Amino acid sequence: MVGEAASSFSPILLLFTFAIVATGPTLILSRMIAPRRTPNPVKFLPMESGQVPQGEGRTHFMMQYYSFVLMFVVFDVASIFLYAWGSSILDLPKSATLPIIGFLAIIFAAFAFALYQAGRKDIW
């Protein structure tokens, strides 16, 4: 029983070991070959294409695509969870449909809010 559980986690352990073994030397090597320069105070000045900026540095953030980005995020999250639920629906008990109905209610509420925001042109 314990051997079966340990063998089922062996690919995960192997992947984790490979990640440590692969990233360790890479980080050390990049530290070794990176150029070392003394800090230049001119380099840290705020510049715009080689010119010292004039005026206020803040710009207006366009809200034109906010609702579309919000709808994409909602659709993306919904599709990830619905794919996982749908691919194993035959193995799940009947009571597993109640949480997904609650999840869909939350997702549709967020989608309705995004559509409401899309209709509000005054915030653009």
Side-chain angles (χ1 to χ4, degrees), residues 23 31 33 38-39 48 84 92:
T23 57
R31 281 280 186 181
I33 64 174
T38 57
E48 269 184 27
L92 293 174

mmCIF file of all heavy atoms in Angstrom, residues 23 31 33 38-39 48 84 92:
data_model
loop_
_atom_site.group_PDB
_atom_site.id
_atom_site.type_symbol
_atom_site.label_atom_id
_atom_site.label_comp_id
_atom_site.label_asym_id
_atom_site.label_seq_id
_atom_site.Cartn_x
_atom_site.Cartn_y
_atom_site.Cartn_z
ATOM 1 N N THR A 23 17.751 24.411 -12.599
ATOM 2 C CA THR A 23 17.783 25.851 -12.323
ATOM 3 C C THR A 23 18.965 26.270 -11.468
ATOM 4 O O THR A 23 19.431 27.399 -11.593
ATOM 5 C CB THR A 23 16.490 26.305 -11.625
ATOM 6 O OG1 THR A 23 16.315 25.549 -10.436
ATOM 7 C CG2 THR A 23 15.313 26.168 -12.532
ATOM 8 N N ARG A 31 25.034 34.385 -12.684
ATOM 9 C CA ARG A 31 25.702 35.289 -11.735
ATOM 10 C C ARG A 31 27.180 35.423 -12.051
ATOM 11 O O ARG A 31 27.761 36.493 -11.900
ATOM 12 C CB ARG A 31 25.572 34.762 -10.305
ATOM 13 C CG ARG A 31 24.282 35.029 -9.667
ATOM 14 C CD ARG A 31 24.276 36.429 -9.174
ATOM 15 N NE ARG A 31 23.047 36.602 -8.421
ATOM 16 C CZ ARG A 31 22.694 37.702 -7.866
ATOM 17 N NH1 ARG A 31 23.473 38.740 -7.944
ATOM 18 N NH2 ARG A 31 21.577 37.796 -7.227
ATOM 19 N N ILE A 33 28.754 35.067 -15.056
ATOM 20 C CA ILE A 33 29.114 35.728 -16.307
ATOM 21 C C ILE A 33 28.440 37.087 -16.499
ATOM 22 O O ILE A 33 28.677 37.755 -17.494
ATOM 23 C CB ILE A 33 28.811 34.824 -17.517
ATOM 24 C CG1 ILE A 33 27.311 34.546 -17.637
ATOM 25 C CG2 ILE A 33 29.592 33.542 -17.440
ATOM 26 C CD1 ILE A 33 26.941 33.788 -18.899
ATOM 27 N N THR A 38 29.963 49.543 -11.730
ATOM 28 C CA THR A 38 29.627 50.417 -10.612
ATOM 29 C C THR A 38 28.376 51.203 -10.981
ATOM 30 O O THR A 38 28.175 51.560 -12.141
ATOM 31 C CB THR A 38 30.783 51.382 -10.310
ATOM 32 O OG1 THR A 38 31.072 52.136 -11.488
ATOM 33 C CG2 THR A 38 32.025 50.622 -9.869
ATOM 34 N N PRO A 39 27.501 51.460 -10.014
ATOM 35 C CA PRO A 39 26.268 52.192 -10.348
ATOM 36 C C PRO A 39 26.562 53.608 -10.824
ATOM 37 O O PRO A 39 27.381 54.314 -10.264
ATOM 38 C CB PRO A 39 25.479 52.188 -9.040
ATOM 39 C CG PRO A 39 26.430 51.803 -7.985
ATOM 40 C CD PRO A 39 27.585 51.090 -8.623
ATOM 41 N N GLU A 48 13.220 60.207 -20.876
ATOM 42 C CA GLU A 48 12.307 59.868 -21.957
ATOM 43 C C GLU A 48 13.070 60.032 -23.253
ATOM 44 O O GLU A 48 13.307 61.144 -23.699
ATOM 45 C CB GLU A 48 11.099 60.807 -21.964
ATOM 46 C CG GLU A 48 9.947 60.330 -21.162
ATOM 47 C CD GLU A 48 8.768 61.268 -21.312
ATOM 48 O OE1 GLU A 48 8.654 61.938 -22.347
ATOM 49 O OE2 GLU A 48 7.968 61.313 -20.386
ATOM 50 N N ALA A 84 -12.395 20.450 -16.515
ATOM 51 C CA ALA A 84 -12.007 19.447 -15.523
ATOM 52 C C ALA A 84 -13.229 18.698 -14.997
ATOM 53 O O ALA A 84 -13.191 17.477 -14.806
ATOM 54 C CB ALA A 84 -11.262 20.116 -14.378
ATOM 55 N N LEU A 92 -18.169 10.854 -11.474
ATOM 56 C CA LEU A 92 -18.598 11.615 -10.301
ATOM 57 C C LEU A 92 -19.992 11.199 -9.851
ATOM 58 O O LEU A 92 -20.823 10.810 -10.675
ATOM 59 C CB LEU A 92 -18.600 13.112 -10.618
ATOM 60 C CG LEU A 92 -17.241 13.744 -10.880
ATOM 61 C CD1 LEU A 92 -17.423 15.182 -11.307
ATOM 62 C CD2 LEU A 92 -16.359 13.666 -9.658
#
